[in-house]
Amino acid sequence: MPGPAFLRGETVTLRTVEVEDVEFLQETINDPDVRYGLSATEPISEEAEREWVESVASGETDDVHLLVCVDGEAVGIIGLNDVTDRMGMAELGYWLTPDAWGNGYATDAARTLTEYGFQERRFHRVYAKVFDGNEGSQRVLEKTGFQREGTMRDHWFRDGRYEDVHIYGLLEGELDRGE
């Protein structure tokens, strides 16, 4: 069972990441379909995932990482990374299990966590990076109100070729609450 609820969206609950979630996180991030949309290029061992979860649970950084849950079951993870309180900004990152794709869960989670960043953490800006071919993630960001701000050409190398990475940004007051 995932940790306690921290935030509630319309269809998802964002819960704390606990040591008991290591198996789910490690299995899912190593799934080729999930990994393809991420910058993860190396296999993640159970030990490495456990160390990451323990670092998240320790509160060593200002980053925020939460499990995305539907009906009490984990379907993914979302986070605000590289938090810079002085500048009031963070990078949004997320992934869901393939079975959860296309149900609006990522959009709800992104909207919920971004709103938290603006309202409770007083961020001024949240940004995200997306690979050129990841149309699903681009739609999630656009439905949340993010705007494509630019493209880093040939920024990432994988599968034997360079790929563009798009930068999306959202300023406080621009969040699309889906109303």
Side-chain angles (χ1 to χ4, degrees):
M1 174 78 176
F6 183 73
L7 296 169
R8 286 191 178 82
E10 290 186 25
T11 60
V12 301
T13 302
L14 304 183
R15 297 179 173 275
T16 60
V17 178
E18 306 293 337
V19 173
E20 295 79 23
D21 303 315
V22 167
E23 182 179 345
F24 164 76
L25 293 169
Q26 188 238 350
E27 284 180 13
T28 308
I29 197 154
N30 283 312
D31 180 314
D33 293 330
V34 172
R35 194 172 53 79
Y36 188 75
L38 305 173
S39 58
T41 57
E42 304 293 328
I44 306 295
S45 68
E46 182 178 341
E47 181 180 336
E49 194 67 30
R50 182 174 309 285
E51 287 174 9
W52 180 81
V53 167
E54 289 171 355
S55 75
V56 166
S58 74
E60 293 172 7
T61 72
D62 289 332
D63 294 356
V64 176
H65 300 281
L66 298 165
L67 284 182
V68 178
C69 298
V70 176
D71 298 327
E73 295 297 319
V75 298
I77 193 162
I78 190 164
L80 292 169
N81 306 293
D82 298 325
V83 170
T84 308
D85 284 322
R86 186 177 67 79
M87 300 296 290
M89 68 179 176
E91 179 180 0
L92 179 68
Y94 50 86
W95 54 255
L96 298 181
T97 61
D99 290 344
W101 295 352
N103 295 301
Y105 302 145
T107 301
D108 189 24
R111 187 176 286 133
T112 301
L113 188 58
T114 302
E115 186 168 37
Y116 159 82
F118 290 139
Q119 291 185 353
E120 295 190 40
R121 298 293 296 269
R122 293 195 240 169
F123 293 155
H124 176 68
R125 172 181 162 73
V126 175
Y127 64 95
K129 298 175 190 165
V130 183
F131 288 114
D132 187 51
N134 192 343
E135 288 86 9
S137 192
Q138 291 175 45
R139 278 194 307 277
V140 165
L141 295 169
E142 290 164 1
K143 288 193 286 186
T144 307
F146 283 76
Q147 297 177 30
R148 186 184 294 189
E149 298 179 334
T151 300
M152 295 185 292
R153 299 176 305 137
D154 284 354
H155 184 73
W156 194 256
F157 185 82
R158 67 177 175 174
D159 295 335
R161 62 186 166 80
Y162 287 94
E163 294 187 43
D164 292 348
V165 174
H166 303 293
I167 302 293
Y168 282 78
L170 184 68
L171 302 178
E172 61 182 319
E174 294 178 342
L175 181 67
D176 184 341
R177 291 179 171 79
E179 300 165 340

